[in-house]
Amino acid sequence: MSLDMHKDRSLLIVDDDRAFLQRLSSAMSTRGFDVCAVESVAEGVAHVAKSPPAFAVVDLRLGDGNGLDVVRRLKAERADARAIVLTGYGNIATAVTAVKLGAMDYLAKPADADEVMSALVSEAGSRPEPPANPMSADRVRWEHIQRVYELCERNVSETARRLGMHRRTLQRILGKRAPR
């Protein structure tokens, strides 16, 4: 699917990294979108309330809150809107939440304009290309632990019980950086 299939080419970009916001806005404008760029959840929600766009690219972590609030509001105002979530702090739990709230896709930063464009105009139900470098087994394990930890509302004792591991072992795992 290409952008030519869409009459409404309005695109809202919400990101608190001003340099990235300007680069992506410029790149998406040259690809045919009518871009509105804002830097906060409050500005994003206000723009959606005033004029819900057909497309949105929203950063997950913003200075004044969670970008998923913008996605939630956009889908409530305009069910046919196509939104994607960008983040530098990706994990499976937040990706699942983003998709459940109505995001079409979830991309890890740094995503280039071609990846964003492809995600925005891809056909529903189309299968993405297999990853060139998939997650390692250690990373998959870490992602699973993070997901259970989030589902247990960040309660270490409950998470350890559900995973069948000692609480201190879990605390050591949670204290380390994510494996590559």
Side-chain angles (χ1 to χ4, degrees):
M1 180 182 276
S2 72
L3 186 58
D4 298 333
M5 306 276 299
H6 300 276
K7 292 176 185 164
D8 184 354
R9 296 178 179 192
S10 57
L11 169 65
L12 172 65
I13 302 175
V14 185
D15 200 305
D16 55 0
D17 179 347
R18 185 168 288 166
F20 177 78
L21 181 64
Q22 290 172 343
R23 281 192 316 272
L24 186 59
S25 296
S26 175
M28 298 313 283
S29 289
T30 62
R31 286 169 171 76
F33 286 98
D34 300 321
V35 178
C36 174
V38 298
E39 297 182 17
S40 68
V41 171
E43 291 174 307
V45 169
H47 180 77
V48 167
K50 182 177 67 178
S51 175
F55 300 93
V57 178
V58 182
D59 189 14
L60 182 66
R61 290 191 184 175
L62 297 161
D64 66 337
N66 191 319
L68 294 179
D69 294 337
V70 177
V71 174
R72 183 181 297 114
R73 180 64 187 259
L74 176 62
K75 293 308 274 189
E77 295 287 327
R78 184 171 180 169
D80 68 329
R82 300 172 67 88
I84 62 169
V85 174
L86 293 178
T87 186
Y89 307 96
N91 67 45
I92 292 171
T94 53
V96 169
T97 302
V99 172
K100 282 183 179 179
L101 289 174
M104 296 287 297
D105 209 340
Y106 184 90
L107 301 176
K109 282 183 175 178
D112 65 21
D114 290 332
E115 291 174 305
V116 171
M117 177 77 175
S118 177
L120 284 173
V121 299
S122 67
E123 291 184 34
S126 65
R127 298 181 78 181
E129 291 290 319
N133 49 354
M135 284 193 281
S136 68
D138 289 336
R139 178 63 188 230
V140 171
R141 176 179 180 259
W142 185 86
E143 291 282 353
H144 175 67
I145 289 170
Q146 290 294 318
R147 180 170 187 268
V148 174
Y149 181 57
E150 291 297 325
L151 290 172
C152 291
E153 298 177 357
R154 304 177 74 85
N155 181 319
V156 174
S157 296
E158 179 64 16
T159 304
R161 186 185 68 71
R162 289 179 184 245
L163 292 172
M165 65 173 50
H166 195 276
R167 182 182 51 79
R168 286 191 181 166
T169 302
L170 177 62
Q171 285 177 314
R172 278 194 298 276
I173 292 169
L174 293 172
K176 292 180 181 176
R177 293 184 130 191
R180 296 201 184 267

